[in-house]
Every structure is written in structure tokens, then in C-alpha cells.
Amino acid sequence: MTRKEAETRLRQTFGFEHFFDEQWNVIKRLLKRERVLLIERTGFGKSLCYQFPATLWEGITVILSPLIALMRDQVNNLNAKGIPARYINSEQSEEENTQAIQDALDGKIKILYIAPERQENQEWQEAVRNMNLSMIVVDEAHTISVWGHDFRPAFRRIVHLVNLLPKDMPVLATTATATLRVQHDIEQQIGGQLITVRGNLMRDNFHLYVVETQSEEEKMIALSRWMERLPGTGLIYTGTRVQTELYARWLECNGINCIAYNAGLPAEQRKEIEQGLMENRWKCVISTNALGMGIDKPDIRFVIHTQIPASPIHYYQEIGRAGRDGKPTVAILFYNSRKDADGIPEDYKLPKSFIESARPSTKTYQRVIDLLKEEPLGIQDLTRKTNLKQTPIRVIKADLIEQGIIKEVIYDKRKVYEYQFGAQALDTAGFEALRVAKLKDLDKMVEYVYTREPRMKYLCEYLGDHHPDIYKGCDNTDLVKRHVRTSEEDWQRVREFQTNYFPRLEVESKKTNLVNGVAGAYYGTSNIGTFIHRCKYEGGGMFPDMLLTTVLRAYRKQWGKETFDMILHVPPTISGDLVKDFAYRLGITLSIPVHDWLQKAHPTEPQKVFQNNILKRDNVAGAFTLSVPDAVEGKSILLVDDIFDSGATIKEIGRMLTQAGATAIAPLVIAKTVGGDNL
């Protein structure tokens, strides 16, 4: 097919007039059944490089992508153009995924997107052998490289699949962010006569700024002042889930239309926010880096980071989610350079802690190996027996499979992991080398903060792009530096916000009559945690009046003058009468009767000894009862406790009280833990 013939087909099918020269170069190679690694900036049009040839072949093109939002958007767009496409991922039911596989086997679709984790599914493993494959695409290919910024051990299965393909089957691997080290790793893994096409990563429509601060409060003040002056809609990235809520509430208090987003929200809520972003419902979405990848919105006008990313690669990728239409786009990076007693800058500590804790200890790996030597176990079995969260369990599982120490097997239609007797000992040398490499990447991110070079030049050259462009568009070249200037009025607004900021307790569900509640503060970000700990574990007496005052403010802000029929308090495990006494003092102040009807049906352990939700739910399942069973029927209840972590206790009591006829159960606690227990 000539380029002229291809562009005629392009206009008819996709509505575009022409290919970029680089796009046609890649497509031409794929049509010759070659293997290609394409490294191009976000917004270049990498998807067209595989979607177009996919429409020409008789068989099916399988695209392995970790981005669920991208799958959803691209499948909808392809189907709207008359190109039959489906996807397989955790967002769908098993029935929907099975139907997508069957449609692929029946030749009803041209393009099938699949999340790489789904390759572990036996149904997929059997089906892919019988599909009429025409091409394999590895999207976000840096995820298969241990040196990539978002490496996922489970994604190595992609390489196993590629290695099983006939040598003349076209393969396309794409990424916008690959250093030369990552590029060479991908080339080695995919193998064959792989041809690398590396484009110009320059984004000349970006205006790059770094703003140095001495506190989180200065960042808050700057955002409240600058937000309305920034064009269009944008993204604000924070370092933690807690900060997404904090910044969203702060901006709301300053009249900014915004919303918080993070991976801890229910899937339906995340989809709704993603759709709202597409429709410009808010000035900004405040998110962890969970948002943005794969969302095809070309007109995001600004990206602001309140926390430095872990590397220049992360930063280039995250700002690259904006300005894909080529129009002027602002990227601002805040950096709190204030140093602690050990001389470590405040904003260096969080990404460093993520790097240091990315892999569990060798002792933890060995504990999993020893358990699997005794018997094959599934993920939930391991979660229960190790008292680990599911994330470290999955990391350990993937590493042990990679090293051939365990393998996945199916027993009675159940997926379990089996120790391979005679396997080599665990090799941790690679873990340490990767940790050191990532710390060096973090140091390079700090170097970006202080560089005097053009900022885009620094990012491009770090990624291995040395094109001789004329770099402008930053506060080191032709733009005026931004500084945070504050007034006493600004600080007063911040103090008032902090005094009246109370964490929400998201507990509502269709299965119970629980309503979302409120906490007096976060346990780990205020002195409230210190008071609770002293009273519970150090014999410090009853909770002080200061905690009562704080919780009363939270109550009045959440429910105003609303009243409840009664207060019930959560029965203790180790805290004696602390919560009971606190509940009675609340009841006296609010003129709400307090009852001691909630009791333990059987003993429980303190929730804090459990590291994961599964064990926390197991610990409190069926653990509560009412001494006066009919007393709550038709009543609204204020449910009081000291600490909210995973929410398992509150949810279990809410379930029991709903069954007993309570019409509303509203949790009110002294403190919410910073991390909660999101698996």
C-alpha cells in the first residue's frame, strides 16, 4: 500500500487528511511485518500507528495496555467510527470479559484491548492460542522494563507472549517516556529485528515554572491566589490521598470549583470524575498521579504539582497529560525546600519514603516462600497468613514468579501459587540496584528544581533526546519567575481553614443505612493523635476537653442543628471506658440521650494489629450485638468512636444496626488515620 492509498483510507475511516511523516514511517514498517519500538511525546498520535494497520488485516490486533481510561475512550471512539473493538479489564464483570474473548475468537472484532494483569487469567491464556492474531501492541512499554518509571513485574508476561509469536508477526511497543537505559532493556526483551523510532520529545507550547516555598501553607496561599488567573481547566497533583481532599476543600473555601480524585474512590465515582474532567465541570481536579494517564483530553491548560515527583521521567509524563492540542500550557512545580533537623528538605522525604518502601524486606519474602513450601496458597490465603496488605503480596508474588521460585497453578478452578522445589535462592541484588537507581532519579528531580538550564532542555536530555532545539518557555529563559508573596490576611484564612477542616468518613453504601460521617482531625497530622495515644496506651486518663471541643466543631459543621434520637458508643477492646465517657460528655452537650446497648458478641483483637482489610473485616465480623434489640427500630443514631482506620468496625456495626431497623447511622470519631487501609 502506498502512502497515497493509505491516506485515502485514513480519510474514509478516521477522518484525518494526512499522516505525520513519523507515523507513516512506523505504519509502513508494520505493514512489512516488522517489530518497532516507538518513543514519541504524548499527543503525537501513537495510537493511530496501530489502529490504522489493524483495520487493514483480517485478524485481530491485541493491545496490551495498563490504562483503563484509555481503553474505555479508545474503544468508544473506534466503535463510533464503525471499527469493532472491545476491552478486557477489571472494570467489567467476568461475564463481560468472557463475552469480549468470545467475540475475538469468533472474529467479530478488529481490535481488543487487554490489561496486562489479565494475562494471568487461564481463560485468556487458552483463548489467545486460538485467536487469529494479526498484530501485538505493547502500550506504555516502559512498564516491562525494571528500569522504567512504572515497572510492574506482572507485565513481564507480555514478553513471554511476544516470544511465542511467529517471527514475522508485527509487534509495536510504544511509550512517551523511556531513557536510553529503558530503551535498550525493551529492545533486548522484545528481541527479534526490533527497530527503534525515537522522536523529538520537545513540547514547545509549555511554560515551565518552579516555585520554592517554606511550607505547605505557602503552596495553599499561592494556589488560592493564582487559580482564577490560570487559563482553562487543569490538574493539581498531590503526593498523597489525604492531600487531594485537603487541597480540594481549601480551594472550595476560596470559591474555586474543584473536586478531589484518588485511587481509593469507588470505580463508579472515579469514572464520573473522569467524565466531568472531559466536560470541564470544574476549574481543576486535585489528584494523586492516578488521574490523567490514558484520558484523551487535548485541552488541559495547566498542571500543578504540590509535591515533587520521583524522577524527571515521572514529571515529563505527568505534565504531558496537558497541552496536547499544541496551545500554550502552564506547568508549575512547587518545592518546599525547608529542611528538618537532619537537614533533609521536606518535599524530598515523601518520594524517598515511597522508593525505600517499594519492596518488602527480604525477611518478608522468605516468610511467603516458607508458607508456600508448606502448601499452595492464593492471594487471599497469603494475605490472611502473612498479615500483609495486598500490594506487597502482589509485588512478592510477581518477583518470585519472575525468579522461578514459585509458579501459578489452578486447583479446582482456583488460582494458587506453588513453590518450585529445587528452585534457586531468592536473588535480592537486583532489588538493591533498582533502589539505588531510583534514588539517583529522585536526586535528578531535585537538580531540575535548581537547574539554570532551560527546563524543557533538561527534561528532554534526561530522556535521551538531544535534538538541537532552541529552548524557551520557562522561568530560566524568557518567563518571569513566580514567587509566593503572603499577607497576614492570607495566613488568617489558612488558620481559619485548618481550625474548621474536618476529615470526612466515606461509609455510605446501598446495603446499609450508614451515612457519611466526620472526624475531628487526622490522627497523624495534628497533636490530636498524641492526646489519644497518651490516654489509650500511657495511662493518661480520660480524653481531654480539647478533644471534645474539636469533635463538637466537626459535628456542628457536618450536621449543623440536626439532631439524632440517640448516641451509641463502640464497645472497647483495650481502651476501657474512654469512648463511653467521651460519648456521655458529647450527649450532655448536645442534649442527645446516650445508651450502652452496643456490646461485644465475642472478643476481638485491637484493629491496629492487622495490616490489611481482610483480617480487619474478619476480626469484627459478627462481633457486635444489641442488649435491647428492638430499641433502635426507626431511630437515627450518632455512632461514636475514637479512631477510624479501615472503617471495618463502623461498617460492621452499621450493618447490624440496619438489620435492627435503624433508619440512619452517622459515625462521629475523634480522629481518622492518615493512611486508612486502602488495599
Side-chain angles (χ1 to χ4, degrees):
M1 177 177 281
T2 66
R3 180 168 180 172
K4 184 176 180 180
E5 291 169 335
E7 289 182 338
T8 298
R9 181 73 174 261
L10 178 70
R11 284 190 292 273
Q12 293 170 347
T13 307
F14 291 90
F16 300 127
E17 289 297 317
H18 302 288
F19 294 112
F20 299 136
D21 289 344
E22 295 92 338
Q23 286 176 322
W24 176 244
N25 178 32
V26 172
I27 291 169
K28 183 170 60 176
R29 291 182 179 280
L30 293 173
L31 293 177
K32 291 179 181 178
R33 311 193 71 77
E34 295 179 0
R35 293 185 172 188
V36 180
L37 168 59
L38 175 61
I39 304 171
E40 277 284 4
R41 66 187 183 277
T42 303
F44 163 80
K46 294 186 289 293
S47 59
L48 192 62
C49 293
Y50 54 79
Q51 290 177 355
F52 178 79
T55 65
L56 304 180
W57 288 311
E58 289 186 5
I60 185 171
T61 292
V62 171
I63 300 151
L64 295 132
S65 172
L67 308 178
I68 291 178
L70 176 140
M71 294 185 193
R72 191 189 319 123
D73 288 349
Q74 294 201 358
V75 166
N76 289 340
N77 291 335
L78 288 165
N79 288 331
K81 291 178 172 66
I83 303 167
R86 295 290 300 272
Y87 59 73
I88 298 170
N89 60 40
S90 59
E91 190 175 86
Q92 294 190 141
S93 67
E94 288 304 314
E95 292 76 15
E96 289 171 319
N97 285 330
T98 295
Q99 187 59 54
I101 290 174
Q102 191 59 51
D103 288 348
L105 289 168
D106 293 343
K108 294 181 178 179
I109 56 179
K110 278 287 184 185
I111 296 177
L112 177 64
Y113 288 82
I114 179 169
E117 294 94 340
R118 299 294 302 187
Q119 293 179 99
E120 299 180 4
N121 182 278
Q122 188 178 32
E123 181 184 22
W124 166 258
Q125 293 172 14
E126 293 174 356
V128 73
R129 297 189 185 100
N130 299 308
M131 288 182 188
N132 179 20
L133 296 175
S134 58
M135 180 169 60
I136 294 291
V137 178
V138 183
D139 196 26
E140 304 297 325
H142 54 268
T143 55
I144 69 172
S145 170
V146 69
W147 307 109
H149 65 280
D150 194 21
F151 170 65
R152 307 187 197 185
F155 288 14
R156 284 289 180 89
R157 283 180 179 259
I158 295 173
V159 178
H160 302 328
L161 171 62
V162 170
N163 289 338
L164 293 173
L165 298 173
K167 295 301 180 185
D168 65 343
M169 179 171 289
V171 175
L172 175 63
T174 73
T175 178
T177 46
T179 62
L180 291 175
R181 187 177 196 176
V182 171
Q183 173 186 325
H184 296 153
D185 191 17
I186 297 170
E187 290 169 344
Q188 184 177 21
Q189 289 192 61
I190 292 181
Q193 297 300 312
L194 182 70
I195 296 153
T196 296
V197 177
R198 179 181 273 276
N200 186 343
L201 300 180
M202 170 70 174
R203 302 290 299 274
D204 56 11
N205 61 317
F206 273 71
H207 295 169
L208 301 175
Y209 299 90
V210 172
V211 181
E212 199 171 344
T213 73
Q214 294 296 302
S215 68
E216 286 299 304
E217 288 80 3
E218 286 186 7
K219 299 175 188 177
M220 294 166 64
I221 290 168
L223 285 175
S224 66
R225 285 184 163 192
W226 297 346
M227 192 54 53
E228 288 296 354
R229 284 181 266 162
L230 288 169
T233 58
L235 303 174
I236 298 177
Y237 286 119
T238 67
T240 65
R241 295 180 184 182
V242 166
Q243 287 177 325
T244 64
E245 182 186 333
L246 186 148
Y247 275 99
R249 298 274 289 277
W250 163 251
L251 291 177
E252 284 173 356
C253 288
N254 284 274
I256 308 298
N257 185 22
C258 63
I259 195 166
Y261 178 106
N262 60 64
L265 299 176
E268 286 302 314
Q269 191 174 350
R270 294 200 306 273
K271 286 168 66 175
E272 178 65 21
I273 294 173
E274 290 167 12
Q275 185 59 39
L277 172 65
M278 299 295 290
E279 297 170 357
N280 296 321
R281 290 185 209 162
W282 304 284
K283 178 67 179 179
C284 57
V285 177
I286 300 95
S287 175
T288 57
N289 60 11
L291 178 68
M293 286 291 288
I295 292 180
D296 187 16
K297 181 175 173 59
D299 61 342
I300 294 174
R301 290 275 67 86
F302 60 87
V303 176
I304 299 172
H305 284 74
T306 66
Q307 167 69 53
I308 63 166
S311 74
I313 308 172
H314 286 85
Y315 189 59
Y316 179 86
Q317 183 191 63
E318 288 163 18
I319 64 173
R321 297 168 187 175
R324 295 173 62 175
D325 56 5
K327 296 179 181 178
T329 300
V330 175
I332 299 172
L333 172 65
F334 285 104
Y335 182 63
N336 181 358
S337 60
R338 184 176 183 178
K339 296 179 180 179
D340 65 11
D342 297 320
I344 301 173
E346 289 295 332
D347 273 2
Y348 186 85
K349 291 192 278 189
L350 182 65
K352 182 175 184 290
S353 71
F354 286 157
I355 292 168
E356 297 284 8
S357 62
R359 272 193 166 82
S361 67
T362 302
K363 182 179 178 181
T364 305
Y365 275 86
Q366 193 58 52
R367 182 153 44 117
V368 172
I369 292 171
D370 292 342
L371 285 169
L372 294 178
K373 282 181 178 179
E374 296 176 6
E375 60 177 326
L377 297 168
I379 289 290
Q380 288 209 359
D381 301 323
L382 285 168
T383 303
R384 285 191 165 94
K385 287 178 177 288
T386 61
N387 191 21
L388 293 170
K389 294 184 180 182
Q390 287 192 17
T391 296
I393 287 287
R394 289 186 176 122
V395 169
I396 292 170
K397 178 259 295 182
D399 285 336
L400 295 181
I401 289 175
E402 179 71 18
Q403 294 191 23
I405 298 172
I406 66 173
K407 74 173 182 180
E408 176 191 306
V409 295
I410 303 295
Y411 286 163
D412 296 326
K413 299 182 179 181
R414 179 170 168 263
K415 186 194 303 179
V416 296
Y417 301 92
E418 183 178 77
Y419 178 73
Q420 300 300 285
F421 286 93
Q424 64 180 12
L426 176 69
D427 181 5
T428 61
F431 302 167
E432 178 60 17
L434 183 61
R435 185 187 71 84
V436 170
K438 288 188 177 297
L439 287 173
K440 288 181 179 177
D441 286 343
L442 177 57
D443 289 339
K444 286 293 184 181
M445 191 65 228
V446 176
E447 189 176 286
Y448 170 84
V449 170
Y450 293 109
T451 185
R452 307 317 303 163
E453 291 182 18
R455 297 196 184 277
M456 185 59 71
K457 179 176 186 286
Y458 183 96
L459 295 173
C460 289
E461 291 187 349
Y462 185 83
L463 284 159
D465 178 13
H466 297 277
H467 286 80
D469 291 276
I470 298 173
Y471 294 93
K472 291 187 178 180
C474 77
D475 54 7
N476 284 340
T477 55
D478 57 325
L479 300 180
V480 177
K481 287 191 177 295
R482 288 176 177 259
H483 299 281
V484 182
R485 293 182 174 85
T486 64
S487 66
E488 179 53 37
E489 182 183 350
D490 292 324
W491 288 104
Q492 181 61 31
R493 284 190 298 118
V494 170
R495 285 191 291 269
E496 288 178 6
F497 169 75
Q498 291 172 333
T499 302
N500 293 286
Y501 170 66
F502 305 108
R504 295 168 178 162
L505 309 179
E506 303 284 346
V507 294
E508 288 183 3
S509 76
K510 296 177 181 178
K511 297 180 180 179
T512 72
N513 292 334
L514 278 164
V515 299
N516 290 336
V518 68
Y522 279 110
Y523 188 91
T525 58
S526 68
N527 60 1
I528 282 184
T530 303
F531 284 112
I532 294 174
H533 191 276
R534 187 180 301 156
C535 296
K536 287 188 73 166
Y537 306 112
E538 300 174 8
M542 294 301 169
F543 291 135
D545 287 341
M546 183 274 288
L547 297 186
L548 181 66
T549 301
T550 299
V551 171
L552 283 168
R553 286 205 313 271
Y555 171 88
R556 287 169 178 138
K557 182 158 188 182
Q558 179 78 2
W559 292 294
K561 296 182 179 179
E562 184 176 342
T563 58
F564 292 86
D565 294 319
M566 66 181 70
I567 293 176
L568 298 181
H569 53 87
V570 176
T573 301
I574 59 172
S575 57
D577 289 336
L578 282 172
V579 175
K580 177 180 178 179
D581 172 81
F582 191 79
Y584 272 94
R585 286 151 65 197
L586 272 172
I588 291 170
T589 306
L590 297 172
S591 299
I592 303 174
V594 182
H595 300 289
D596 306 333
W597 297 334
L598 265 180
Q599 297 180 356
K600 288 277 184 76
H602 60 74
T604 60
E605 295 295 324
Q607 288 287 65
K608 73 177 211 171
V609 307
F610 302 109
Q611 298 300 308
N612 61 67
N613 273 343
I614 291 175
L615 289 179
K616 291 187 179 192
R617 287 195 298 264
D618 289 351
N619 185 45
V620 297
F624 302 98
T625 186
L626 282 168
S627 59
V628 186
D630 300 331
V632 300
E633 186 170 353
K635 304 296 185 182
S636 61
I637 298 168
L638 190 64
L639 181 60
V640 175
D641 202 1
D642 52 1
I643 299 172
F644 182 98
D645 181 38
S646 68
T649 299
I650 294 292
K651 290 172 185 175
E652 176 63 20
I653 293 173
R655 182 193 62 78
M656 184 271 294
L657 291 175
T658 299
Q659 291 180 345
T663 56
I665 307 106
L668 176 66
V669 303
I670 302 173
K672 178 182 179 182
T673 58
V674 171
D677 188 38
N678 297 299
L679 293 176

